[in-house]
Amino acid sequence: MKKITIAIDGFSSTGKSTVAKQLARVLGYVYVDSGAMYRAVTLYAMQNQMISKDYFDVEKLIANLGAIKLSFKYNDTLGFAEMYLNGVNVENEIRTLEVSQSVSQVAEISEVRRMLVLQQQQMGQEKGVVMDGRDIGTVVFPEAELKFFMTASAETRAKRRYKELLERNDDVSYEDVLKNVESRDLIDSTREDSPLMKADDAIEIDNSNLSLTVQFEKLYALAKNAIEHE
Ligand code: CDP
């Protein structure tokens, strides 16, 4: 059976990665979390004092992009690939609110985007990939056979993310999480380079009131149909 490319875009905390992982697992496809790559570059900038709450040395980050080596390694126990930054597993560290508070500024930089988009396209060369992010259906794989655009209200999304951060024992407030979700939405959808937007041929899924099971069944049916028609 022919393999296809599945692109899942949408606002932060819309559950893209949950459904992308489920789809990849049942289809035997590779799942790529493109946001993890932007988060890892952000972590690198934080570790090297290039960015903090009210400071960002863009030129220094651009000059050092060659020193950032990103890779994914599949973790059998978890059932998905974890993010490595220069050989170190950073899967946990990149999910903090602190990284979330800087990542959209880093993702605005065209030099960063060029580097990551190229790597993402290489990972999808053979098809059989489910990739989630902000520009997958518009920029990374405009020819993807199946595209989804996920939405949900900001409050629903902030509640989901707050719960996730509490489960990790992160010391955060709901208000800060909501503020972060809203501010990233704004930066991500208004930036000049590859803003977050729905591709013309993407199927919009509002999952504010969908259970994970119902959401998965819906996307899986559409994926099976797209694969059968290839
Ligand atoms: O998990 P969540 O949906 O909150 O975000 P993410 O997918 O981990 O992405 C983190 C950030 O990276 C986003 O807010 C965007 O600023 C940026 N990003 C991007 O610009 N393009 C992508 N393809 C993926 C993420």
Side-chain angles (χ1 to χ4, degrees), residues 41-131:
V41 172
T42 305
L43 182 66
Y44 174 87
M46 285 164 58
Q47 287 171 340
N48 291 280
Q49 288 76 46
M50 294 168 186
I51 196 167
S52 64
K53 245 193 168 133
D54 37 30
Y55 170 84
F56 187 11
D57 191 339
V58 177
E59 294 311 318
K60 195 168 169 201
L61 175 59
I62 293 173
N64 284 279
L65 284 178
I68 303 178
K69 297 279 172 274
L70 302 180
S71 55
F72 284 103
K73 267 190 217 147
Y74 191 80
N75 179 320
D76 270 331
T77 317
L78 293 174
F80 63 88
E82 294 181 292
M83 185 81 247
Y84 282 71
L85 166 63
N86 292 331
V88 178
N89 184 334
V90 292
E91 183 60 36
N92 250 319
E93 267 180 285
I94 58 170
R95 309 286 167 192
T96 61
L97 184 58
E98 213 186 342
V99 171
S100 298
Q101 281 163 340
S102 291
V103 65
S104 287
Q105 277 172 278
V106 170
E108 276 187 297
I109 304 165
S110 291
E111 285 81 355
V112 171
R113 304 204 70 82
R114 263 204 297 278
M115 176 173 100
L116 299 190
V117 167
L118 208 69
Q119 293 176 16
Q120 289 152 8
Q121 288 171 334
Q122 281 163 355
M123 289 186 253
Q125 246 169 11
E126 312 281 313
K127 298 208 175 191
V129 66
V130 185
M131 196 175 291

Side-chain angles (χ1 to χ4, degrees), residues 4 13 33 46 71 78 103 106 110 133-134 142 147 166 169 176:
I4 64 166
S13 317
D33 174 359
M46 285 164 58
S71 55
L78 293 174
V103 65
V106 170
S110 291
R134 302 292 187 283
K147 300 179 185 178
L166 286 189
N169 290 321
D176 284 346

